[in-house]
Amino acid sequence: MSDTLKDIPVFVAAVEAGSFAQAAIRLHLSRSAVGKSIARLEQRLGVRLFQRTTRSQRLTDNGALFYERCLRALEEIRGAESLLETGKQQVSGRLRVAMPVLFGRQCVAPLLIALAQEHPGLELEMSFSDRVVDLVEEGFDMAVRNGTLQDSSVLVARKLGEHRMVLCAAPAYLQKKGQPHRVDDLPQHTAINYLRAGRVLPWQLMDDEGTSHTFTPRSSLNMDDLQAICDAALAGHGIAWLPCWMVIKEIHQGKLVPLMKQAPDVHFNVHAVWQQTPHLPLRVRMAIDTLASRLPEVMSLDLPASRAESAR
């Protein structure tokens, strides 16, 4: 019976992944190991669980019935594990997290690494990609996503923080071109534009009277990579509108100077998303709580008001 129980999670993963190959990736097994596990299960049960061809795989009627019962049993086991974990507050097991490359590397990963160091039983696996991963298909426990979320009936989201923006330039550029004080001054300056889906992301700023303005800069410097934009600004090639978390260090070091005022209502939300489940594992819940409590401070621009004003 114990061997049968070990094969059941493999069977469920094969159903949810849609193929033995994808299940093998999720479970860190070889495709052959997955196939042998399913074969053992079918032999013990005396029924075919999958109808397989060279191009497709689908459950038989017996397989569908068995899958539903296995799913319920695994949910009960996970629920029991979650209750026990909550009681002792010890995080263990593998946690797979997907996140954007630059933001993840600079802001998210250090917080999760610190969490893993606090809990030696936690096996942390982080994937860095700017594409929107399929949590269910690819077997991730959670993902960190920027911007507007798409509607989903199978995912749950929690807001972790906000990207605040800052207009900035290198001292060398300002000495050469002068410093803009109003939105009307910006057309005379060189902008370094951020491209999103092939379109320039407009700057959203506020004038001295407190009125918000949207300004779409024209420039020969257009990039779809924030790090490249930051590097160009540091090199004195123009003015950039960048997330605060990305340039806070350079601003404190005097390598970049904050310009003008940012419209206070301009922000881009950051969320944690995970698959809807009756019993969220403690390791996932604790990771989400950690990011929700610590990420806003990492993303903030902690700059004294007097210094920001003197930069103008």
Side-chain angles (χ1 to χ4, degrees):
M1 178 60 73
S2 59
D3 288 340
T4 304
L5 291 177
K6 287 192 294 185
D7 292 332
I8 286 176
V10 178
F11 165 67
V12 171
V15 176
E16 294 178 345
S19 71
F20 288 5
Q22 285 299 315
I25 293 172
R26 287 190 186 187
L27 298 172
H28 293 275
L29 298 172
S30 67
R31 189 185 185 284
S32 173
V34 172
K36 290 177 180 178
S37 183
I38 300 300
R40 283 195 303 267
L41 199 54
E42 289 179 328
Q43 185 177 7
R44 290 191 186 97
L45 295 172
V47 298
R48 295 280 291 179
L49 298 174
F50 290 98
Q51 188 68 44
R52 296 185 290 275
T53 68
T54 55
R55 293 188 177 182
S56 66
Q57 164 189 306
R58 64 179 179 84
L59 284 172
T60 62
D61 291 341
N62 285 327
L65 179 63
F66 189 60
Y67 169 70
E68 291 298 329
R69 295 300 178 94
C70 289
L71 208 55
R72 292 180 202 171
L74 288 176
E75 285 295 338
E76 288 296 324
I77 293 171
R78 288 168 187 153
E81 289 176 344
S82 180
L83 288 174
L84 293 176
E85 284 181 339
T86 303
K88 61 185 179 182
Q89 289 296 306
Q90 289 296 316
V91 181
S92 62
R94 187 177 62 168
L95 176 67
R96 298 192 71 217
V97 187
M99 63 193 76
V101 177
L102 188 60
F103 178 63
R105 185 187 303 140
Q106 188 162 330
C107 297
V108 180
L111 299 180
L112 293 181
I113 290 171
L115 178 66
Q117 290 175 335
E118 295 169 8
H119 299 273
L122 180 63
E123 180 187 344
L124 182 61
E125 184 177 320
M126 294 182 286
S127 176
F128 299 86
S129 175
D130 290 329
R131 67 182 178 85
V132 178
V133 303
D134 188 319
L135 299 187
V136 180
E137 273 296 312
E138 300 178 53
F140 285 100
D141 296 298
M142 59 175 285
V144 176
R145 291 180 179 167
N146 296 327
T148 304
L149 297 176
Q150 297 179 348
D151 292 334
S152 173
S153 59
V154 297
L155 299 180
V156 182
R158 177 178 174 185
K159 183 178 175 182
L160 300 176
E162 300 173 343
H163 291 280
R164 294 288 176 177
M165 306 296 289
V166 60
L167 197 71
C168 55
Y173 171 85
L174 298 175
Q175 290 172 5
K176 181 179 178 181
K177 298 281 190 171
Q179 198 166 123
H181 297 292
R182 301 177 58 86
V183 175
D184 292 343
D185 297 336
L186 292 174
Q188 282 73 52
H189 284 266
T190 302
I192 308 171
N193 293 333
Y194 176 59
L195 294 176
R196 177 183 291 173
R199 304 183 66 179
V200 172
L201 183 69
W203 298 349
Q204 300 182 55
L205 308 166
M206 187 172 66
D207 62 23
D208 290 337
E209 288 73 40
T211 303
S212 295
H213 294 267
T214 298
F215 175 73
T216 303
R218 297 181 181 275
S219 175
S220 58
L221 292 176
N222 304 286
M223 311 180 193
D224 63 359
D225 182 84
L226 288 175
Q227 186 60 61
I229 293 173
C230 183
D231 292 343
L234 286 167
H237 294 308
I239 299 174
W241 195 53
L242 292 167
C244 295
W245 56 264
M246 189 174 184
V247 293
I248 178 61
K249 180 180 177 181
E250 286 73 14
I251 288 176
H252 279 298
Q253 293 176 343
K255 296 179 181 178
L256 290 174
V257 177
L259 307 170
M260 305 177 61
K261 295 180 179 179
Q262 313 305 302
D265 58 339
V266 175
H267 60 270
F268 302 95
N269 291 333
V270 182
H271 290 89
V273 297
W274 62 95
Q275 188 176 356
Q276 191 168 13
T277 175
H279 305 290
L280 188 65
L282 179 62
R283 59 184 176 274
V284 181
R285 184 165 65 250
M286 189 164 287
I288 295 167
D289 289 344
T290 296
L291 294 178
S293 63
R294 301 179 186 176
L295 198 55
E297 182 179 355
V298 173
M299 296 171 63
S300 67
L301 180 62
D302 185 17
L303 189 67
S306 59
R307 182 176 174 184
E309 287 300 315
S310 65
R312 297 179 61 251

